Amino acid sequence: MLKNIKIRSRLYLGFGILIAIFLAFSIFEIYELADWRDKIIDYKHVNKEIHDYRKIQLNATSIRQSFTDASLTKNKDVIDKKAKPAFSRTLKILSKLLKKHENEIKALKDHSHKSIEEKQKHKHLNLIKKIKDQFRTMWDLGIKMYRAYLIDGEQGNKVIIEYDRVSKRLIKAIAKLVKDEINEGDNKVETMKTRAEDDIKINII
């Protein structure tokens, strides 16, 4: 059949095929670049969350120590100048994270194939809510402990046992959150690394 086609027509056909291949490859590359962009943005968000959780972790330790110091020295300035600002900063960060995860879950509801990711987001959201509640509990117990020590050491010693238990549990929960986020970040890096290797193989072929 090709023998019956003129040389000019063969050239046109050849160029047409090449252009079609280039167009197909260009479209493929555009989709690949868009996917890479999304993955990089996603990784940046995870990195930002790790940074926020580390702030929460530091604030939890600071609040715990401030209430202990204030109670034992009976110095309320420690609460007002150290614990209260740290507590306020923490609530703002947690509220921001809660809103972010709630919005992400709403966005996922339209995609049934992302139900596993939605469940993970719900689990994460519930853990953040729990940590926020535990922060409030630690704060209330801190005030209670400070007031108890103002009355006498025996009453204060009773409250500090509960305060230590609650604050340690909170710090442990935050540590788990930080660890989970770091693992998620590592997994995303591995996914991008594998994807990059696959893209290199495709381009070579």
Side-chain angles (χ1 to χ4, degrees):
M1 184 179 173
L2 286 173
K3 289 179 181 179
N4 298 326
I5 300 173
K6 293 179 181 180
I7 293 173
R8 183 182 292 178
S9 298
R10 289 182 188 180
L11 287 171
Y12 285 149
L13 180 63
F15 279 124
I17 291 168
L18 283 173
I19 289 168
I21 291 169
F22 280 126
L23 280 172
F25 186 75
S26 297
I27 292 167
F28 171 77
E29 284 299 315
I30 288 167
Y31 277 111
E32 284 291 295
L33 288 171
D35 190 48
W36 268 106
R37 180 200 62 197
D38 292 342
K39 280 181 167 55
I40 290 167
I41 291 170
D42 196 26
Y43 178 70
K44 282 176 73 177
H45 286 164
V46 172
N47 237 8
K48 179 68 173 63
E49 281 199 19
I50 292 170
H51 182 65
D52 285 338
Y53 291 137
R54 288 202 184 280
K55 280 184 183 177
I56 293 168
Q57 201 172 27
L58 287 170
N59 286 339
T61 305
S62 174
I63 292 166
R64 180 173 185 255
Q65 189 60 51
S66 295
F67 268 115
T68 304
D69 292 345
S71 298
L72 296 177
T73 61
K74 299 179 182 179
N75 183 2
K76 193 174 181 291
D77 283 347
V78 180
I79 297 172
D80 293 335
K81 292 179 181 178
K82 290 186 177 180
K84 194 174 284 185
F87 183 64
S88 179
R89 287 194 303 269
T90 302
L91 290 184
K92 283 181 182 178
I93 296 170
L94 287 168
S95 296
K96 181 187 72 175
L97 289 168
L98 282 171
K99 188 176 179 180
K100 176 181 177 291
H101 281 276
E102 284 167 356
N103 290 337
E104 286 175 352
I105 288 168
K106 283 179 186 176
L108 287 170
K109 286 187 183 296
D110 297 330
H111 304 282
S112 57
H113 64 283
K114 291 187 176 180
S115 58
I116 295 171
E117 189 178 349
E118 189 180 336
K119 285 177 183 177
Q120 289 174 339
K121 291 284 182 185
H122 270 294
K123 186 179 177 181
H124 209 87
L125 181 70
N126 291 333
L127 186 54
I128 296 170
K129 286 179 179 177
K130 186 180 176 182
I131 285 172
K132 192 174 182 180
D133 289 340
Q134 286 178 338
F135 256 103
R136 292 187 185 280
T137 302
M138 184 176 76
W139 178 268
D140 291 340
L141 275 172
I143 296 294
K144 184 181 176 181
M145 178 176 68
Y146 171 75
R147 288 172 179 168
Y149 270 111
L150 285 178
I151 298 167
D152 64 62
E154 189 177 342
Q155 286 192 41
N157 289 339
K158 288 177 182 177
V159 181
I160 200 171
I161 294 169
E162 187 182 2
Y163 180 77
D164 280 344
R165 179 178 58 81
V166 169
S167 59
K168 283 177 182 177
R169 187 173 61 198
L170 170 61
I171 290 167
K172 187 177 178 181
I174 299 167
K176 184 184 182 305
L177 207 54
V178 171
K179 186 180 177 183
D180 289 346
E181 281 298 304
I182 290 171
N183 288 339
E184 187 180 344
D186 290 343
N187 289 337
K188 288 186 184 299
V189 169
E190 283 302 313
T191 301
M192 286 192 286
K193 183 181 174 184
T194 303
R195 186 64 179 271
E197 289 171 353
D198 292 340
D199 287 349
I200 290 168
K201 289 175 185 176
I202 291 167
N203 286 322
I204 290 171
I205 294 167

